[in-house]
Amino acid sequence: MARTGRAERRRTGGDGSARRKGARGPRAGLRAARLGPRDVLHVGSAGLRSRPVRVVLSALGIAIGIATMIAVVGISASSQAQLMRQLDALGTNMLVAKPGEGMFSGEEVKLPKDAVGMVGRIDGVEDVGATADLKHSVRRSEKIPEGETGGIAVKAATEGMLDVLRGGTASGTWLNAANGRYPSVVLGHVAAERLGIGEPGRQVWIGDRYFTVVGILDPLPLAPEIERSALVGWEGAQRLLGFDGHPTAVYERSTDASVRTVQSLLASTIDPRNPQNVAVGDPSSALQAKAATEGAFSSLLLGLGGIALLVGGVGVANTMIISVLERRHEIGLRRSLGATRGQIRIQFVTESLMLSGLGGLAGVALGGAATGVYASTGGLPWVVPPWAVGGGFGATLVIGTVAGLYPAVRASRLSPTLALQA
């Protein structure tokens, strides 16, 4: 019996420690319930589902900010894409040589008569053409006063000009060896509009005779001076209008690889003795500069969109704080049932993220739609950069997280007892 008692005491620890350990064991093993991703989404969206009107109004501020940012970036990108399309179609390999300033003030400088032939011999040059300003006006009839020119210039043009400009005729034909010798004229599209002529076959008064319109040109963005001109053949201008044969502008197209080389040689080739009398320009530089500066004004509007986004974030934070105050009983009940402070924080941060995310999605859709409407009405390609969409939506999530942190921390610090008594 004694041995049995001692064995029992050894088994139980001699002082009942086994019973105490057994009593502490189950209590020490209690753990807070874990919330899975599905549970987090469910509890986080509960507040949104119960207050749909407030959710819409709060998300509207975020949506306006994101829509503004997406639309500003999209419209700017669409305009730049249109300019790059024009540059690709028209090319950046065209140069124009014109008379520069002479050594003496007021000295008249003329390009050589054989300037076109000399430029054509430069290595890399593919097409060459020339125009010459004529001291005549173009009118619908001789009865119209000579001073009423409508801003339309009269120019002589070589047969190769249209190839250099990569242009085309909207109707009719271009000047050639046959019609260029006779009183025929091709109108730029602006000149045709100002003269009220919409098709070939009509006649206009130039100098002291009528010229027959044989063609009307398409728009030429790289040569606006041609768009506003009436063009007659080179030989016809010499025979009928007293043209002396000196060009006032030489246009050339070279290969892309040789543009800079040709540009450095052009002046000295046209006038080897006085290259300073020749001014060389790049017509595409204006479009390139416009493409480079297209987004300059957009930065201001982008900043305004960012301010609107911040205002929307303040609205989200305000909504979340009010939600915490209104749902104190819910928070106290969840805490009394075992929810931890971390789970309460996750619930309200998730709710803030979902609220901002809804506004962000709506803003991306609105901004893309606004860009599409602008592009379609202006004949532009619809371009919305992916980085703008990703960056804008990411900004909404960051703002949603920041806006929900304080309300979430405040909710987690509520005492369950005081929350249930409120």
Side-chain angles (χ1 to χ4, degrees), residues 271-317:
D271 194 346
R273 298 182 61 182
N274 298 296
Q276 72 278 2
N277 290 345
V278 181
V280 180
D282 180 4
S284 65
S285 60
L287 283 179
Q288 295 181 53
K290 186 177 180 181
T293 59
E294 184 66 32
F297 185 68
S298 300
S299 59
L300 174 61
L301 297 178
L302 196 61
L304 295 177
I307 294 175
L309 187 59
L310 291 177
V311 172
V314 173
V316 170

Side-chain angles (χ1 to χ4, degrees), residues 98-113:
K98 296 182 178 181
E101 296 182 359
M103 297 181 62
F104 303 99
S105 178
E107 179 184 0
E108 183 181 3
V109 176
K110 291 186 178 182
L111 300 180
K113 293 182 179 181

Side-chain angles (χ1 to χ4, degrees), residues 41-408:
L41 292 176
H42 179 74
V43 297
S45 61
L48 303 183
R49 295 193 304 269
S50 61
R51 299 169 178 85
V53 176
R54 183 182 298 174
V55 168
V56 171
L57 294 177
S58 300
L60 186 60
I62 295 287
I64 291 174
I66 292 297
T68 303
M69 298 175 71
I70 295 294
V72 166
V73 174
I75 290 173
S76 176
S78 298
S79 299
Q80 287 181 336
Q82 177 68 7
L83 288 174
M84 295 311 296
R85 280 187 181 182
Q86 290 183 354
L87 285 173
D88 291 339
L90 301 172
T92 58
N93 56 350
M94 186 177 79
L95 299 174
V96 181
K98 296 182 178 181
E101 296 182 359
M103 297 181 62
F104 303 99
S105 178
E107 179 184 0
E108 183 181 3
V109 176
K110 291 186 178 182
L111 300 180
K113 293 182 179 181
D114 57 348
V116 172
M118 291 189 295
V119 171
R121 289 191 289 269
I122 299 176
D123 187 27
V125 172
E126 297 179 330
D127 298 302
V128 186
T131 62
D133 296 333
L134 303 179
K135 298 179 180 180
H136 296 281
S137 61
V138 55
R139 293 165 286 166
R140 287 289 300 271
S141 71
E142 74 277 13
K143 297 180 180 180
I144 297 177
E146 188 175 355
E148 296 182 9
T149 63
I152 304 172
V154 179
K155 297 178 181 288
T158 61
E159 298 175 20
M161 267 300 299
L162 201 60
D163 293 332
V164 179
L165 297 175
R166 290 185 181 176
T169 54
S171 59
T173 186
W174 174 245
L175 299 169
N176 52 48
N179 59 29
R181 301 176 63 248
Y182 300 102
S184 57
V185 62
V186 174
L187 300 178
H189 87 283
V190 175
E193 291 176 356
R194 292 179 179 177
L195 290 171
I197 296 176
E199 58 185 3
R202 305 287 295 276
Q203 290 189 321
V204 294
W205 184 263
I206 301 176
D208 59 354
R209 69 182 65 209
Y210 278 102
F211 280 65
T212 301
V213 177
V214 297
I216 298 175
L217 297 179
D218 285 324
L220 298 169
L222 289 186
E225 69 279 4
I226 303 297
E227 295 179 330
R228 294 163 175 80
S229 299
L231 306 168
V232 299
W234 201 263
E235 185 178 349
Q238 291 176 318
R239 290 178 56 247
L240 305 172
L241 299 176
F243 172 45
D244 62 2
H246 288 276
T248 52
V250 177
Y251 298 74
E252 68 82 27
R253 285 271 185 186
S254 56
T255 60
D256 293 333
S258 60
V259 173
R260 300 281 75 87
T261 302
V262 173
Q263 186 173 18
S264 64
L265 297 174
L266 201 56
S268 58
T269 300
I270 293 175
D271 194 346
R273 298 182 61 182
N274 298 296
Q276 72 278 2
N277 290 345
V278 181
V280 180
D282 180 4
S284 65
S285 60
L287 283 179
Q288 295 181 53
K290 186 177 180 181
T293 59
E294 184 66 32
F297 185 68
S298 300
S299 59
L300 174 61
L301 297 178
L302 196 61
L304 295 177
I307 294 175
L309 187 59
L310 291 177
V311 172
V314 173
V316 170
N318 185 51
T319 299
M320 295 306 302
I321 292 175
I322 295 175
S323 179
V324 169
L325 295 176
E326 292 179 345
R327 296 162 64 186
R328 297 181 66 183
H329 283 82
E330 174 192 336
I331 297 170
L333 181 60
R334 290 199 61 210
R335 288 296 312 280
S336 64
L337 293 176
T340 64
R341 290 185 174 183
Q343 292 173 349
I344 297 297
R345 287 195 293 268
I346 290 175
Q347 173 187 348
F348 282 92
V349 169
T350 301
E351 184 174 332
S352 178
L353 275 173
M354 295 178 70
L355 180 57
S356 299
L358 290 174
L361 290 176
V364 169
L366 289 174
T371 303
V373 171
Y374 179 86
S376 61
T377 55
L380 305 176
W382 181 29
V383 179
V384 178
W387 65 263
V389 176
F393 188 72
T396 63
L397 298 183
V398 172
I399 288 178
T401 302
V402 174
L405 282 177
Y406 173 71

